[in-house]
Amino acid sequence: MNIEALGKIRHSGEDFAIGDILRGLSDAEAQRLVSLGSGKMVMDENHGSEGGNPGLLQSTGAPISAEEFAKLKADEQKELLESLEFEAAGNVEGRVEQYTAWLDENNALV
C-alpha cells in the first residue's frame, strides 16, 4: 500500500517529510499510519495503485466498520489489531470487541 505523509514520519529507519509517499507498506503498517492521522492512502501514478488487501480500509482511507472487521480472516484481524497495538484475542468475538473498543476510543465509528 502507498501512504502520503501528513506529518513527519520515521519508518524502518528512514525519515519522511509531509507530502512524501511511503511505498510498499503492509496493510497493517498503512492502517496504523492512517489511524494515527499521520498519513492517507494514495494512488501512485508512477507505481500503480496502492495494492494490498483493500478490505482493511475503505476507499476514503477511513477504518473499516466493526461488521466488515468481523468478516475478515482471523490472521487479517490479528494483524490489524496488532498494528493498533492490541494483543489480539484468541476468538473472533474477542477480536471484534477489541476493534469496536478501538473505534469507540478514536471516535472512528463508521
Side-chain angles (χ1 to χ4, degrees), residues 26-53:
S26 71
D27 294 335
E29 292 169 327
Q31 174 67 28
R32 177 166 164 64
L33 290 172
V34 170
S35 69
L36 292 171
S38 298
K40 67 177 181 178
M41 289 184 33
V42 294
M43 299 289 283
D44 185 346
E45 294 176 8
N46 297 325
H47 294 88
S49 70
E50 61 267 348
N53 180 349

Side-chain angles (χ1 to χ4, degrees), residues 41-90:
M41 289 184 33
V42 294
M43 299 289 283
D44 185 346
E45 294 176 8
N46 297 325
H47 294 88
S49 70
E50 61 267 348
N53 180 349
L56 297 182
L57 293 174
Q58 296 179 13
S59 60
T60 62
I64 60 174
S65 69
E67 292 80 19
E68 292 168 313
F69 177 84
K71 294 177 185 176
L72 296 175
K73 295 179 184 175
D75 59 332
E76 292 174 324
Q77 291 176 344
K78 290 176 183 177
E79 182 181 355
L80 178 54
L81 285 169
E82 289 169 4
S83 76
L84 299 173
E85 300 181 355
F86 280 89
E87 185 174 331

Side-chain angles (χ1 to χ4, degrees), residues 17-32:
I18 295 171
D20 286 348
I21 305 295
L22 288 76
R23 293 183 178 85
L25 297 175
S26 71
D27 294 335
E29 292 169 327
Q31 174 67 28
R32 177 166 164 64

